Amino acid sequence: MSLHRYRNAGLFVLLGVLFGSSFVAIKAGLDALPPVFFAALRFDVAAPILLVYAAWRHDDWIPRHRADVAGLVVGAVTIVAANNGLLFLGQRTITPAAASVMYGLNPILSPAFAFLLLGQRLDVRGIVGILLGLVGVVIIVQPSPETITSGSTIGQLYVLAAAAVIAVGSVLMRRIDATIESIPLTAWAMALGALLLHTWSLAIGESAAGTAVTPTVALAVLAVAIPSTAAAYPIYFTLIRRIGPVRTNLVAYVVPIVAALTGWLLLDEPVTLATAAGFCVVVAGVALLERRIVATELARFTG
């Protein structure tokens, strides 16, 4: 493996840790803050930090070309606003471990959107991989006529919608192929996304008036906003460019492990048998999708 591949692999693992730990912080913050407002607050803190850094580190940090503007708008609408709003709404009623596994549909959907939008075809084994992933999600959600309107099932569906949105958004970002660097692009997408989230929050009647800013709430906001947003999102946008949306979104299989461990350690959240079984089935699906890479790396480590 070349140094460049090691760098990408290191960024991939770091991204999984940063995203995975955010699920526990989100759950803690949702005990006090309205969900969409909390999602907006995440980027209120992160966007100015990243914009200042972009202005300091990059000479050409302002979008000037049509592709740059299109890229930041797509990123703001899908990866920032819709993805986070739906994810935070969903996490009100499900555990961090369950939410992170539901979010694992993202790598299964990405190849489907890549086929539709980028013309990247899947063979029969790839299609079987997608179907296996969907079976895994059904095991986790366990839908039935009696539970389809329950709070936990609605929460799961919100998280599934978030996974679909970020999958299509990442593929569109690759198709647009903006010329501006990843960090400035991410910063501007965050700023616009924060504005969209605040608009959404006001439209559904959320209000944070009277919310007590306790040390726990402040710590939850900072934990989500800085390591899991200001640091994680530039890595995510960078990997989309370097290794593509399908491989980048495989990070969703590192996230549940981190989320389950942090949820168990910090919130005493149980990891159910259905969640564990569904995760294993989804991993089997993605292993089929990426079987050549898996086989190559296994041969490298065993040879």
Side-chain angles (χ1 to χ4, degrees), residues 223-263:
V224 174
I226 298 176
S228 298
T229 305
Y233 272 71
I235 296 173
Y236 181 76
F237 277 68
T238 297
L239 286 175
I240 288 174
R241 284 183 167 178
R242 288 186 181 179
I243 63 176
V246 175
R247 291 180 181 176
T248 298
N249 284 327
L250 294 178
V251 75
Y253 296 103
V254 179
V255 167
I257 300 170
V258 177
L261 288 174
T262 51

Side-chain angles (χ1 to χ4, degrees), residues 1-299:
M1 183 182 289
S2 67
L3 181 60
H4 186 68
R5 289 182 66 188
Y6 276 123
R7 188 182 302 118
N8 289 341
L11 288 175
F12 182 90
V13 173
L14 177 59
L15 182 62
V17 172
L18 293 174
F19 275 166
S21 60
S22 72
F23 282 83
V24 172
I26 292 170
K27 188 69 172 179
L30 286 173
D31 290 338
L33 295 167
V36 180
F37 175 79
F38 184 15
L41 198 59
R42 171 184 199 171
F43 296 99
D44 289 341
V45 176
I49 294 172
L50 211 57
L51 281 170
V52 170
Y53 180 80
W56 173 53
R57 292 288 295 176
H58 298 274
D59 294 330
D60 190 14
W61 65 283
I62 297 175
R64 302 183 188 280
H65 304 289
R66 182 179 300 177
D68 298 337
V69 175
L72 79 87
V73 169
V74 167
V77 171
T78 58
I79 296 173
V80 175
N83 165 47
N84 280 272
L86 291 166
L87 178 61
F88 279 54
L89 283 167
Q91 271 209 254
R92 289 180 302 175
T93 55
I94 59 178
T95 67
S100 64
V101 176
M102 302 296 299
Y103 210 56
L105 183 63
N106 166 352
I108 298 298
L109 289 174
S110 293
F113 290 126
F115 168 70
L116 292 173
L117 300 174
L118 302 179
Q120 297 178 356
R121 295 183 176 275
L122 292 172
D123 57 17
V124 173
R125 290 182 183 179
I127 294 171
V128 172
I130 290 177
L131 294 176
L132 266 180
L134 293 175
V135 169
V137 171
V138 169
I139 291 172
I140 298 164
V141 178
Q142 298 181 1
S144 69
E146 293 77 21
T147 62
I148 194 63
T149 58
S150 70
S152 60
T153 301
I154 294 300
Q156 290 167 339
L157 293 175
Y158 275 133
V159 178
L160 281 175
V165 166
I166 196 171
V168 72
S170 62
V171 172
L172 285 172
M173 292 290 293
R174 182 60 179 261
R175 179 172 182 173
I176 292 169
D177 195 22
T179 60
I180 192 172
E181 293 290 334
S182 294
I183 289 179
L185 177 63
T186 307
W188 286 111
M190 283 182 179
L192 177 57
L195 179 61
L196 294 173
L197 283 164
H198 278 296
T199 303
W200 182 357
S201 177
L202 289 172
I204 63 176
E206 288 186 344
S207 174
T211 300
V213 184
T214 64
T216 300
V217 172
L219 184 60
V221 171
L222 291 175
V224 174
I226 298 176
S228 298
T229 305
Y233 272 71
I235 296 173
Y236 181 76
F237 277 68
T238 297
L239 286 175
I240 288 174
R241 284 183 167 178
R242 288 186 181 179
I243 63 176
V246 175
R247 291 180 181 176
T248 298
N249 284 327
L250 294 178
V251 75
Y253 296 103
V254 179
V255 167
I257 300 170
V258 177
L261 288 174
T262 51
W264 173 64
L265 289 171
L266 301 179
L267 300 180
D268 197 28
E269 295 277 9
V271 179
T272 67
L273 181 60
T275 298
F279 172 68
C280 291
V281 175
V282 173
V283 168
V286 84
L288 270 177
L289 285 168
E290 294 294 325
R291 60 193 177 278
R292 293 184 182 87
I293 295 173
V294 172
T296 299
E297 295 305 322
L298 283 176

